[in-house]
Amino acid sequence: MTSHEGRSLIVVTGATGNIGRSLVGRLLADGAAVRALTRDPARAGLPAGAETVGADLTGADDLASLLAGADALFLNLAAGGEQAATAVLDAAVRAGVRRVVLNSSMAVTDTPADDTHFIARLHAGLERAVRDSGLEWTFVRGGNYATNALAWAPSIRESGVVREAHPGAQGVPVHEADLADVAAVALLDRSGAHLGKAYVVTGPERMTLARQVAEIAAATGREIRVEQISEEEAAEAMSGRYLTREAALELVRMFGRTVDAPPFPVSDAVERVTGRPGRTFARWARDHAADFS
Ligand SMILES: NC(=O)c1ccc[n+]([C@@H]2O[C@H](COP(=O)([O-])OP(=O)(O)OC[C@H]3O[C@@H](n4cnc5c(N)ncnc54)[C@H](OP(=O)(O)O)[C@@H]3O)[C@@H](O)[C@H]2O)c1
């Protein structure tokens, strides 16, 4: 890798997000220089050690200057969507960035099924663009983010209730800090061991949504009741600017199928890549207790 005042310079998209904020801290702790991208540097609250730069990646910002001098890029689809991610990737190639770590999804399976589900299709398309870019790459195929439980925070705070269509739905929730740690290792690695790898990253244990609620109750000391609602009501509550009602219903039905059939195995990628076991959901709930109080 080249250097920025003697250190690798990593550009982090979505730097104030769940993964991004954790990643910025981790990269700085590992001695890297970090250019953290956010639409609003004044409100970002990122560490002073990072170079925090304002950029709306869906707008006409000067992408070349955002990537100038960088060694590697953490690319997150959440930072402006598909077109923005593709534009940042192209700009990275033009700027001479060597490596990209893509925040992808375990929905991508490298089978024809990738064309049938919208989440897989979206991430698989971006993976293809990365493979075709000629850059060194690593994919972090996470899924079932523990942070999805933050959607319960308003109703827990207001009434101590979680409303779900399928409280028995099973998942393997992963802590954002583990996704960030895997990404950091891949971004900074000098051995080449992580190049061309697509890591399926899960949490360390399978559990139902009801059990996640119980862990949040334990971490916050609150009594939390789970109320079962219809799939249609759940889809209505989930849909919004980025998710149509139809897509939300597809997701709710997909969760429903996991009640009887666990969707994916527990992966040991966090431990293999970082050398440390993945953080439990109980730990996540303690880390986020303030969000539910
Ligand atoms: N949830 C899951 O279970 C799951 C599973 C598999 C994959 N994923 C992937 O993970 C992604 C979410 O990652 P995350 O949780 O770290 O994201 P996040 O917390 O939603 O953070 C996204 C960040 O992107 C920034 N951003 C938004 N719009 C932008 C724009 N127009 N220009 C520049 N920056 C913009 C925002 O920062 P500012 O407001 O500071 O600009 C925001 O903090 C999903 O999009 C998906 O691709 C999620």
Side-chain angles (χ1 to χ4, degrees), residues 2-261:
T2 56
S3 64
H4 180 82
E5 292 163 2
R7 300 177 293 163
S8 298
L9 173 61
I10 316 294
V11 173
V12 177
T13 62
T16 64
N18 297 311
I19 303 168
R21 188 174 294 281
S22 189
L23 178 61
V24 168
R26 170 70 200 266
L27 290 170
L28 290 172
D30 286 347
V34 176
R35 185 174 296 149
L37 307 189
T38 167
R39 286 167 299 180
D40 189 352
R43 291 185 47 204
L46 290 164
E51 177 195 358
T52 301
V53 176
D56 184 335
L57 300 176
T58 56
D61 286 295
D62 174 14
L63 295 175
S65 70
L66 301 176
L67 292 147
D71 298 287
L73 166 70
F74 176 71
L75 190 57
N76 191 341
L77 188 58
E82 193 179 7
Q83 277 184 357
T86 309
V88 172
L89 180 64
D90 289 347
V93 172
R94 286 196 301 276
V97 173
R98 283 251 314 272
R99 178 176 300 180
V100 57
V101 172
L102 175 67
N103 189 52
S104 188
S105 167
M106 67 166 58
V108 182
T109 55
D110 301 319
T111 70
D114 289 352
D115 295 326
T116 59
H117 189 265
F118 73 99
I119 294 179
R121 208 164 41 233
L122 189 61
H123 291 91
L126 208 48
E127 287 192 3
R128 252 189 319 274
V130 168
R131 286 182 209 265
D132 292 346
S133 72
L135 300 189
E136 298 176 350
W137 58 264
T138 305
F139 301 150
V140 180
R141 288 180 176 171
N144 187 211
Y145 288 7
T147 50
N148 293 345
L150 291 172
W152 298 328
S155 73
I156 288 177
R157 282 196 302 265
E158 282 157 26
S159 50
V161 176
V162 166
R163 295 178 184 86
E164 279 290 337
H166 299 291
Q170 303 182 73
V172 193
V174 61
H175 197 304
E176 63 276 15
D178 284 332
L179 294 161
D181 285 353
V182 169
V185 170
L187 286 161
L188 297 177
D189 175 59
R190 289 170 189 271
S191 71
H194 305 289
L195 301 184
K197 298 278 170 62
Y199 291 118
V200 174
V201 182
T202 72
E205 53 183 340
R206 177 175 296 124
M207 63 177 67
T208 62
L209 292 181
R211 163 93 186 282
Q212 291 183 38
V213 174
E215 295 290 3
I216 294 168
T220 56
R222 294 186 68 123
E223 210 166 290
I224 306 174
R225 187 165 57 80
V226 179
E227 188 181 299
Q228 189 158 17
I229 57 175
S230 70
E231 289 187 329
E232 287 70 23
E233 286 170 312
E236 188 65 45
M238 269 173 81
S239 59
R241 190 165 156 212
Y242 296 109
L243 195 63
T244 64
R245 219 185 145 282
E246 292 66 37
L249 192 57
E250 193 183 334
L251 273 181
V252 171
R253 291 187 171 140
M254 191 180 84
F255 297 149
R257 289 193 288 275
T258 70
V259 171
D260 297 317

